[in-house]
Amino acid sequence: MEKWITRGVAAICATGSTALFWTFGVFLAVPWRENRMLSLNSVEWQVLGIPLVVGLAVTWGALHILAIADRASSPRLYLALGVALAIVSLLAVFGGMAWTGERIALPAP
């Protein structure tokens, strides 16, 4: 029972990190589409940096909480859940970019 509670807390943290990565993708879509990733201003760096850095920190925390429950007793499950979290995080970034991309008004040709 104790492992399931710990896994539940790790899942809540992982859900929060996924939301932060989705938010990062939402704000990444516009400069990415306009090919100006190397010329961002300071506000854009903050808007992109905060969800990315906090998302990485929360993901790291979720993996550490998950390690309490599974790293020693079932390392394959821990590895599989870590890889799944990495894949879901990348998909969240792409999902946020797609969500914004669908709502951007394209210029007339």
Side-chain angles (χ1 to χ4, degrees):
M1 181 67 170
E2 193 173 291
K3 284 188 178 186
W4 287 104
I5 292 170
T6 307
R7 287 179 187 144
V9 171
I12 291 169
C13 290
T15 303
S17 71
T18 303
L20 286 162
F21 286 126
W22 183 84
T23 304
F24 171 71
V26 165
F27 292 119
L28 180 67
V30 173
W32 185 273
R33 179 176 275 190
E34 295 174 354
N35 291 328
R36 57 183 186 87
M37 290 301 297
L38 298 176
S39 62
L40 299 174
N41 62 36
S42 63
V43 174
E44 291 170 326
W45 277 113
Q46 288 177 355
V47 168
L48 288 174
I50 290 171
L52 178 63
V53 170
V54 175
L56 289 170
V58 174
T59 301
W60 181 65
L63 288 174
H64 278 286
I65 292 170
L66 189 61
I68 292 170
D70 289 324
R71 188 186 306 177
S73 61
S74 40
R76 291 183 129 189
L77 176 63
Y78 174 72
L79 178 65
L81 290 174
V83 169
L85 182 57
I87 292 169
V88 167
S89 297
L90 283 173
L91 290 174
V93 171
F94 293 132
M97 289 178 72
W99 185 84
T100 300
E102 290 295 320
R103 283 153 182 81
I104 293 176
L106 296 174

